[in-house]
Amino acid sequence: MTGPARAQSAASEGQKLAFDRGKGNCLTCHVIKGGDLPGSIGPELADIKRKYPDRKDLVAILNDETRRNPQTVMPPFGRNRILTEQEIDAIVDFLQTL
């Protein structure tokens, strides 16, 4: 699979991971369109592609936001091996659709 079909598939997988309470668990802290029982600790995840045009920034945030902001409550999903690189990439694909 290549092109738009692959991107759509990756974004779909990323949404599943983001909404999964045992994996990304993004809804614990963030409001995300289409998510149930969102939290209010973190900012609403909307208009992400405009806010973060370089996907590397989102990958870095998901991997270990403490490097950029030592005071963050954002879990270091990559550093703590909660999510794999491929899972982080899929979640970033999803976030860029918001």
Side-chain angles (χ1 to χ4, degrees), residues 31 34 39 56 65 89 98:
V31 171
K56 287 187 281 186
E65 175 62 355
D89 279 340
L98 301 176

Side-chain angles (χ1 to χ4, degrees), residues 19 21 24-33 35-45 61-62 74-75 77 95:
F19 288 2
R21 297 286 179 181
N25 204 17
C26 303
L27 289 167
T28 295
C29 298
H30 300 279
V31 171
I32 305 172
K33 182 181 175 185
D36 294 329
L37 303 171
S40 59
I41 295 167
E44 179 175 355
L45 299 181
I61 289 169
L62 287 168
M74 176 87 172
F77 290 100
L95 292 175

Side-chain angles (χ1 to χ4, degrees), residues 44-82:
E44 179 175 355
L45 299 181
D47 203 18
I48 298 297
K49 198 149 187 160
R50 185 187 63 77
K51 292 175 185 171
Y52 298 99
D54 186 346
R55 72 177 282 117
K56 287 187 281 186
D57 293 334
L58 289 172
V59 169
I61 289 169
L62 287 168
N63 193 45
D64 186 1
E65 175 62 355
T66 63
R67 288 183 172 181
R68 226 175 46 143
N69 176 7
Q71 303 301 313
T72 189
V73 295
M74 176 87 172
F77 290 100
R79 186 187 79 204
N80 286 354
R81 295 188 179 111
I82 299 165

Side-chain angles (χ1 to χ4, degrees), residues 6-29:
R6 193 214 67 78
Q8 187 175 16
S9 173
S12 177
E13 181 61 25
Q15 180 179 19
K16 287 179 196 166
L17 289 164
F19 288 2
D20 184 333
R21 297 286 179 181
K23 279 304 243 177
N25 204 17
C26 303
L27 289 167
T28 295
C29 298

